[in-house]
Amino acid sequence: MNTPSTRRRRAAASVALLAAGVAAGGCGLLGTDKKADSDGAAGQGKVTITLAGPNQWNTSGSSFGPSWEALVDAFEKREPGIEVRTQVLPLDGFIQTITTQLAAGTAPELVFNQPPHKAHEVHALDAELDKPNPYVEGNQKWLDVFKKEYFGPGVSKAVSKESGKLEYIPFNLVAIGLFYNKDAFAKAGVDQPPATWEDFRSACKKLKSAGYDPVALDKGGLAPGWTWESISTQLLDKYYDKWNAFDATGKPGTAPTVTEKSISKAIKEGALTAAGTPEVAESLKLYKEFFDCGTPNWTGVADGGATVGHRDFVSGKAAMSWGTDFAVEALKSDAKFPIGTMPFPTITKATTPLSTDAPARYGASVGGTSYMVPSTVKGEKYAATIKFLQFMSSPAVKPWLDATGGLPAIEGVEPSPETAGLLQGEWGKPFRVTGLPGGPEGTSFRDVFDGYLLGKRPLDEELPDLQKWWDRGVEAGIKKNNWGEEDWAK
């Protein structure tokens, strides 16, 4: 079933890569940074390792940017016997490139972790993570430097589904939220980012009166998915205990977040219906209200760029925009105003009696910048690679994170001022109930909701139509996941 949660990591990663300015031309041709272009003498007497992955921060086909170069320089000064080269892979081909290299045994020492691979093609790092990180004062176990809620053997997103091992090291976290134009807020008399839906309503009125579109929107699918999820997860929080039937592996039990399988069971058994569960209609009403506060002709606005409706946002036409922490470097370049970040507003009882005042939550994850070590890397190159990974999980990364807006994956490092709002309060914690679904996997949320959001289909027609999408999605999910023999699925 096409729940926002099943797409959240893909969507977040997608915007993370958009932050590199794909709309401005992408990465270009395969390239390497200035270190890779140095003559042979520069590397004599040194162990040279190469890191290969996509450029998530700018449009360069040869460099991840000055802050990355400075970080690598800092490592090489600390470890003069090691040279680190950066190989920038094209956005439209890095997955195939790395997958092919891993299978052939020709991959460089560090590769981006997202491409599909077999467990035997990369080093499991559990044993290394049990050793001290020499770049963190007083550390006894490298694993302890990471924020345990995001990375570790007990975090399902962090371990290999094939081996159950930790195969990569995260350099940062990825999180979504709303960016805002501080100058626009000041001009409109919005004293602070809206914390509740009532605050949001008030801010929208003030921003419109001041000549701004409150929210930048475009024809892409990110805003429909993220907004639907952010609203419905709040109103559904009350059903956490009632619907929580399976653990994260799909076995009977409970999970920290009610799973897609549990939601499918609730729909199949009639515990959750579009017309009979009042929070569905209420979510739809607030969903449309949010879009009515956005770019009027959003279906005609091309997507692309670091944020949703990027051109309208950076031009100052719109005051808020959905995005991830990876958007910061592009926004610093494109926007001529100071930016801030904020959580999605919390829907309280002041807005609807169906609220339990459950806070808006989304949570960060390790779906940002992470790297693996191919199993073909041995000896001194392996030792040098581990040192670089340890350095990248030490406080030394803070200048790079501050410059790029990256959110720290390790303890003791504060996020940059521009992106701190993406982890603010409860928003930085995972929601408890998966957001209401759309249709079968592969269905666009726009296919499901456009008619309603554009005012072409009334609520009383949208609800039964939505139920049909759900029913098709549940049956497709039962078939795909081989749940058909379970009693609830028959």
Side-chain angles (χ1 to χ4, degrees):
M1 178 179 296
N2 192 16
T3 65
S5 287
T6 60
R7 299 176 53 197
R8 64 187 303 205
R9 280 175 290 175
R10 294 197 298 271
S14 147
V15 171
L17 294 175
L18 284 174
V22 178
C27 284
L29 299 175
L30 172 68
T32 54
D33 71 2
K34 59 184 179 61
K35 297 181 182 301
D37 295 328
S38 60
D39 60 35
Q44 289 182 357
K46 294 185 178 182
V47 177
T48 300
I49 60 175
T50 298
L51 177 146
N55 188 345
Q56 298 169 286
W57 300 278
N58 56 62
T59 61
S60 173
S62 62
S63 172
F64 290 166
S67 60
W68 173 261
E69 304 288 357
L71 183 62
V72 171
D73 286 344
F75 173 73
E76 291 179 342
K77 288 178 181 178
R78 179 77 179 264
E79 300 290 346
I82 302 174
E83 179 184 12
V84 179
R85 297 181 178 181
T86 304
Q87 187 178 53
V88 179
L89 300 180
L91 290 174
D92 60 357
F94 78 90
I95 290 177
Q96 183 61 48
T97 296
I98 293 174
T99 297
T100 300
Q101 288 179 338
L102 287 172
T106 59
E109 288 74 26
L110 284 163
V111 293
F112 200 67
N113 78 310
Q114 290 184 12
H117 61 278
K118 300 294 185 181
H120 71 270
E121 295 171 349
V122 298
H123 282 284
L125 300 174
D126 299 60
E128 298 291 351
L129 287 160
D130 278 337
K131 302 174 184 177
N133 182 334
Y135 305 104
V136 179
E137 186 177 356
N139 175 254
Q140 298 299 311
K141 183 184 291 189
W142 182 9
L143 184 64
D144 291 342
V145 308
F146 296 96
K147 296 182 176 181
K148 61 182 181 299
E149 63 267 41
Y150 302 120
F151 183 76
V155 180
S156 60
K157 295 176 185 175
V159 299
S160 165
K161 291 183 179 179
E162 180 182 351
S163 67
K165 302 290 185 180
L166 297 166
E167 295 180 342
Y168 63 85
I169 298 299
F171 294 177
N172 53 30
L173 302 174
V174 62
I176 70 165
L178 292 167
F179 285 82
Y180 66 93
N181 178 337
K182 290 185 176 181
D183 286 349
F185 272 33
K187 181 179 177 181
V190 180
D191 298 330
Q192 58 187 2
T196 68
W197 196 265
E198 295 306 301
D199 295 337
F200 177 74
R201 282 176 170 166
S202 174
C204 285
K205 291 178 181 177
K206 292 178 179 179
L207 288 164
K208 284 183 178 180
S209 295
Y212 297 96
D213 292 335
V215 182
L217 298 172
D218 59 36
K219 67 178 181 180
L222 294 175
W226 284 342
T227 306
W228 182 236
E229 183 171 37
S230 297
I231 292 171
S232 63
T233 54
Q234 295 183 58
L235 296 184
L236 296 180
D237 186 80
K238 66 185 69 171
Y239 296 106
Y240 177 78
D241 293 321
K242 182 178 180 180
W243 294 346
N244 204 348
F246 301 103
D247 66 18
T249 68
K251 297 177 181 178
T254 60
T257 295
V258 174
T259 65
E260 176 190 345
K261 185 177 182 180
S262 290
I263 291 290
S264 296
K265 180 176 184 290
I267 293 173
K268 182 73 172 179
E269 295 181 338
L272 167 60
T273 66
T277 305
E279 290 77 15
V280 179
E282 195 70 9
S283 293
L284 283 167
K285 293 174 185 176
L286 296 176
Y287 190 32
K288 189 174 188 307
E289 183 178 348
F290 183 89
F291 271 74
D292 287 347
C293 283
T295 306
N297 62 332
W298 56 272
T299 55
V301 178
D303 59 341
T307 54
V308 173
H310 186 72
R311 293 172 183 82
D312 282 348
F313 182 60
V314 298
S315 69
K317 184 175 184 293
M320 291 178 276
S321 175
W322 277 112
T324 76
D325 46 307
F326 284 83
V328 168
E329 190 162 326
L331 289 176
K332 286 181 177 179
S333 172
D334 296 344
K336 306 306 178 186
F337 49 80
I339 60 171
T341 48
M342 55 179 270
F344 192 83
T346 291
I347 302 163
T348 67
K349 292 177 181 177
T351 296
T352 171
L354 293 175
S355 169
T356 59
D357 288 333
R361 290 175 174 163
Y362 199 91
S365 74
V366 287
T369 307
S370 302
Y371 277 82
M372 310 180 291
V373 184
S375 56
T376 51
V377 180
K378 307 289 185 182
E380 61 181 8
K381 284 185 176 288
Y382 176 77
T385 298
I386 293 299
K387 284 187 175 181
F388 184 70
L389 291 176
Q390 290 171 328
F391 184 80
M392 290 301 299
S393 44
S394 76
V397 300
K398 182 167 175 54
W400 174 62
L401 294 175
D402 285 346
T404 61
L407 296 169
I410 60 174
E411 300 285 0
V413 174
E414 295 297 320
S416 66
E418 292 92 349
T419 54
L422 302 181
L423 291 180
Q424 181 179 318
E426 295 292 318
W427 181 249
K429 300 177 182 179
F431 43 70
R432 301 201 312 158
V433 179
T434 298
L436 289 169
E441 185 173 351
T443 304
S444 166
F445 283 93
R446 287 199 52 194
D447 292 339
V448 179
F449 296 116
D450 262 15
Y452 172 71
L453 293 176
L454 293 170
K456 297 179 180 179
R457 184 165 60 244
L459 181 63
D460 61 357
E461 292 181 11
E462 178 68 15
L463 288 169
D465 191 57
L466 182 58
Q467 185 68 50
K468 293 177 183 178
W469 284 109
W470 288 1
D471 292 341
R472 290 197 292 270
V474 168
E475 293 306 319
I478 289 172
K479 183 177 180 179
K480 176 185 176 182
N481 295 292
N482 298 314
W483 297 332
E485 295 304 312
E486 300 185 29
D487 289 342
W488 67 271
K490 295 178 180 178

